[in-house]
Each structure stands twice: as structure tokens, then as C-alpha cells.
Amino acid sequence: QVSLVESGGGLVQAGGSLRLSCAASGSILSFTTMGWYRQAPGKERELIAQILNRGSGGVTWYADPVKGRFTITRDNVMNTVHLQMSSLKLEDSAVYYCSGFQAAWGRVWGQGTQVTVSS
């Protein structure tokens, strides 16, 4: 099974940008889909961005709250998935998790990285 490790979280001012990275211990193409979730205190974990490992480009999907501000990309050579976050808002503060899904393994999670947006 491939493991995932996130990095890139931190403290950023509202309106700023941050890029999260998710490094896989093996090929990210082992996963059918890869995505970014987030969980704010007192709230459920929610899927915010996903990329399908279909063809060379991948099909992407975004939740409405982040559409137009966040971009998910993958680097098949480095086995890394990125989440570029722009125009950050206070409500984007959360622990961000990288996840991959594959039928044989189920859903694989990273350990999470904290993103805090300040005013």
C-alpha cells in the first residue's frame, strides 16, 4: 500500500496564498482518485478538491466554497499532488488531508497539515 504525507501548511493572512503538497511513497497513479479534504473544529471532514487518474491530464472537481480559488494538480514523475490555494479566507482555516482511493486498499489518508488564515 502507498502512504501519503502532506506538507506546506502554515499561517497566512486573509487574501494570501499557500500551496500544499502530498507526497506518495509510490506511484500516485496507483490510486483511482486523489483528493484534498479539510476538517475545521467542530465540523465534519469535507472533500474540497479531487483529481481523477484518467488519462494524462486528469479530470478535476471542486467544492463550491473553493471553486475558482483552489487548484489541484498532480506530478506523476514526483508522485506528488498539490493544492494551490489563493484568495484565502478565514473560513478556510482547517486541517487539510490528502487522500487517495483504490479499490483494493480503500481510502488512504495522510496525517494532515494545519492551515490557519488570520485577519
Side-chain angles (χ1 to χ4, degrees), residues 3 6-8 17-18 20 26 28 79 91 104 108-109 116:
S3 61
E6 302 97 334
S7 62
S17 298
L18 209 57
L20 304 183
I28 59 173
N79 291 313
E91 54 263 39
V108 178
W109 296 96
T116 302

Side-chain angles (χ1 to χ4, degrees), residues 2 4 8 16 22 32 41 44 53 55 60-61 79-81 84 91 108 112:
V2 176
L4 305 172
C22 173
T32 305
E44 298 206 350
N53 287 334
T60 58
W61 173 91
N79 291 313
T80 303
V81 175
Q84 179 66 47
E91 54 263 39
V108 178

